[in-house]
Amino acid sequence: MASHEKFGFKTLDEVRDKITSLKADIRLSEDFAPLHKQVKVGSKTAPNAIAVLPMEGCDSDPDGSPSELVERRYLRFAEGGAGLLWWEACAVVREGRANPLQMMLTTENVGKFAALLQKTNAAAEAANGAGHRPLNVLQLTHSGRYSRPDGHKGAPIVPQHDPLLDPRVGLDPDAPVVTDEYLDALTEKYVQSALLAKEAGFDGVDIKSCHRYLLSELLASHTREGKYGGSFENRTRFLRETVRAVRKAVGQDFIIACRFNVFDAHPYPYGFGVDKEDLWKVDFTEPMQLVKMLVEEGVDLLSNSAGNPYYIYPQVTRPFDLSSMGIPVPNEHPLESMARLFDFTRRIQEAAGDVPVVGNGYTWLRQFLPYAGAANLADRSCSFVGLGRSSFAYPEAPRDILKNGRMEPGRCCVTCSKCTQIMRDHGRTGCVIKDSALYAPLYKQAREETDQREHSFQ
């Protein structure tokens, strides 16, 4: 591993030279044609191979309905020209919300979601041409360990205890874990949310299983007893049965997706995809079994991720220049972090066959990210290039790539992690640097309120 460095490249050749010196498995291509290609997802087709990954704003109305900020965000994403909009985390039950303003789709507000989808699709075509309507996939979630439906105090719901993570959420070692009966009933909540998403006009839903939220942690519940813990069959039971139930309810023409962790970067027996002896060694055995299982169950779209954004190794999820407050500087170069994520996607796409896989980890490369994306698409290392934080900062990037063949360096995300810091501070989030008129005051407000809360406890 090399030392961590901030981004400082001026030319593509400088990027190539650094990749070579690090011996990082990252390929670059100046032929952007693969980014323009349509991508078949189930029975539907995306107009190009660029995706906006689920970027939560923590800014819905209290009942979960789209607020003005939510509408602004998705109109910007739609006008930006991506072929796939993977909509942010939408809680399937109130107690599973990660914050009091997390998106939540209900029978009472489904019409508001339908109206927003009509607006976003119209905005996409107005900005990018007739017929350029993105696929819209809604991420369904239960926040589990990181549930905080009310106020500023967490209300964790965990499938197993974890001596490293329990203290961080204020969970006592003898606190009860979620029951099998609760999980049995939860599947129907996913079904109800999926049916509402279909009614609203979404093209599909994601059964979210990443970043150590409830379903992600279930995959790693080696120490749990009962039918949802222990063996691989048991740990995947909830996801498998929920996918089946959702498919039965929504039919074959509705996309079922799954965004899941390949590697938790968390020690066994509390992490998924990790070697039993070495935290930093990936064991691909179970992640590959999971991919094959999901394909057999008829999942139409996959997206791989890794790590836990709430813990001390966020570079495993998203390489950065600066991290959130209190997070140590990684002992690896961001290009090495990117190469690991690219390797995960490459392996998942190979195992998934014709099922498209959305890659991630591109944002740190700024204006050079299309070169890596085009190369990965060309050699079938992924089917979509996924843009996460980049989309907060530069929502027009897909259109600039596809129409102008370049990204504007001054518009790119600088991976400063301030958008993450707002979330950690329980505020409404977006790009503090490139969208500063709106989000710089919100960043300052969330920081000040956090300081006040912390001082009040001292």
Side-chain angles (χ1 to χ4, degrees), residues 106-221:
T106 67
T107 54
E108 291 77 20
N109 66 20
V110 63
K112 295 180 180 179
F113 280 90
L116 179 54
L117 274 166
Q118 290 176 358
K119 283 186 179 180
T120 55
N121 288 336
E125 291 194 322
N128 303 289
H132 190 108
R133 177 176 106 51
L135 295 182
N136 295 284
V137 172
L138 180 65
Q139 183 173 77
L140 302 182
T141 191
H142 187 302
S143 298
R145 178 175 295 277
Y146 299 107
S147 295
R148 183 174 57 85
D150 298 298
H152 298 288
K153 183 176 176 57
I157 298 173
V158 300
Q160 70 173 356
H161 281 288
D162 183 319
L164 292 177
L165 297 183
D166 283 3
R168 298 176 71 90
V169 296
L171 193 66
D172 293 334
D174 58 351
V177 299
V178 67
T179 65
D180 284 0
E181 290 75 18
Y182 180 91
L183 294 172
D184 291 342
L186 186 60
T187 287
E188 182 58 28
K189 303 299 184 182
Y190 278 87
V191 171
Q192 292 170 5
S193 293
L195 287 170
L196 287 171
K198 185 175 183 180
E199 180 183 342
F202 285 97
D203 297 295
V205 292
D206 161 27
I207 313 299
K208 182 180 183 180
S209 305
C210 61
H211 301 162
R212 301 297 298 196
Y213 295 107
L214 181 62
L215 272 64
S216 176
E217 196 162 12
L218 270 172
L219 293 176
S221 289

Side-chain angles (χ1 to χ4, degrees), residues 8-55:
F9 304 116
K10 302 298 183 183
T11 68
L12 188 62
D13 284 339
E14 290 177 359
V15 179
R16 285 196 178 102
D17 290 344
K18 190 65 179 182
I19 290 171
T20 300
S21 70
L22 293 171
K23 297 181 181 179
D25 189 5
I26 297 176
R27 305 152 202 181
L28 303 174
S29 172
E30 296 181 56
D31 179 6
F32 287 1
L35 293 159
H36 291 259
K37 291 183 178 179
Q38 296 181 341
V39 183
K40 192 172 186 300
V41 183
S43 62
K44 304 177 187 294
T45 302
N48 60 60
I50 302 178
V52 172
L53 292 170
M55 296 301 299

Side-chain angles (χ1 to χ4, degrees), residues 108-403:
E108 291 77 20
N109 66 20
V110 63
K112 295 180 180 179
F113 280 90
L116 179 54
L117 274 166
Q118 290 176 358
K119 283 186 179 180
T120 55
N121 288 336
E125 291 194 322
N128 303 289
H132 190 108
R133 177 176 106 51
L135 295 182
N136 295 284
V137 172
L138 180 65
Q139 183 173 77
L140 302 182
T141 191
H142 187 302
S143 298
R145 178 175 295 277
Y146 299 107
S147 295
R148 183 174 57 85
D150 298 298
H152 298 288
K153 183 176 176 57
I157 298 173
V158 300
Q160 70 173 356
H161 281 288
D162 183 319
L164 292 177
L165 297 183
D166 283 3
R168 298 176 71 90
V169 296
L171 193 66
D172 293 334
D174 58 351
V177 299
V178 67
T179 65
D180 284 0
E181 290 75 18
Y182 180 91
L183 294 172
D184 291 342
L186 186 60
T187 287
E188 182 58 28
K189 303 299 184 182
Y190 278 87
V191 171
Q192 292 170 5
S193 293
L195 287 170
L196 287 171
K198 185 175 183 180
E199 180 183 342
F202 285 97
D203 297 295
V205 292
D206 161 27
I207 313 299
K208 182 180 183 180
S209 305
C210 61
H211 301 162
R212 301 297 298 196
Y213 295 107
L214 181 62
L215 272 64
S216 176
E217 196 162 12
L218 270 172
L219 293 176
S221 289
H222 299 276
T223 66
R224 181 184 176 88
E225 297 179 354
K227 66 180 181 180
Y228 292 112
S231 68
F232 177 77
E233 179 182 3
N234 285 353
R235 287 181 282 114
T236 58
R237 184 185 305 278
F238 182 86
L239 178 57
R240 184 173 63 250
E241 293 184 350
T242 299
V243 167
R244 287 177 185 170
V246 170
R247 175 62 74 201
K248 182 179 179 181
V250 299
Q252 295 300 316
D253 293 333
F254 192 69
I255 295 168
I256 297 181
C258 186
R259 180 160 162 80
F260 69 97
N261 265 16
V262 175
F263 171 60
D264 283 349
H266 198 67
Y268 181 88
Y270 309 107
F272 182 69
V274 295
D275 183 81
K276 292 183 179 180
E277 304 296 333
D278 184 352
L279 165 64
W280 287 100
K281 183 178 180 182
V282 186
D283 185 340
F284 287 103
T285 305
E286 289 193 345
M288 294 301 111
Q289 289 177 337
L290 179 64
V291 172
K292 292 175 182 177
M293 180 199 85
L294 291 169
V295 171
E296 289 173 358
E297 294 293 345
V299 167
D300 304 296
L301 178 66
L302 295 168
S303 178
N304 64 279
S305 191
N308 179 349
Y310 295 94
Y311 196 45
I312 58 175
Y313 307 124
Q315 73 274 12
V316 178
T317 306
R318 50 175 78 97
F320 51 77
D321 272 6
L322 298 170
S323 190
S324 305
M325 297 177 183
I327 300 299
V329 176
N331 61 350
E332 66 182 14
H333 195 281
L335 285 170
E336 293 176 311
S337 304
M338 287 182 62
R340 178 171 52 235
L341 287 165
F342 288 179
D343 178 55
F344 292 166
T345 312
R346 190 174 296 118
R347 291 170 182 264
I348 298 306
Q349 184 65 80
E350 182 179 357
D354 292 334
V355 174
V357 178
V358 183
N360 66 330
Y362 292 89
T363 294
W364 187 81
L365 267 183
R366 276 77 159 177
Q367 68 268 26
F368 302 111
L369 73 82
Y371 300 92
N376 286 342
L377 290 168
D379 67 12
R380 188 61 177 157
S381 293
C382 64
S383 299
F384 285 96
V385 173
L387 306 182
R389 294 162 298 165
S390 173
S391 299
F392 271 163
Y394 189 179
E396 303 87 359
R399 188 171 69 225
D400 283 355
I401 294 168
L402 298 171
K403 291 191 174 182

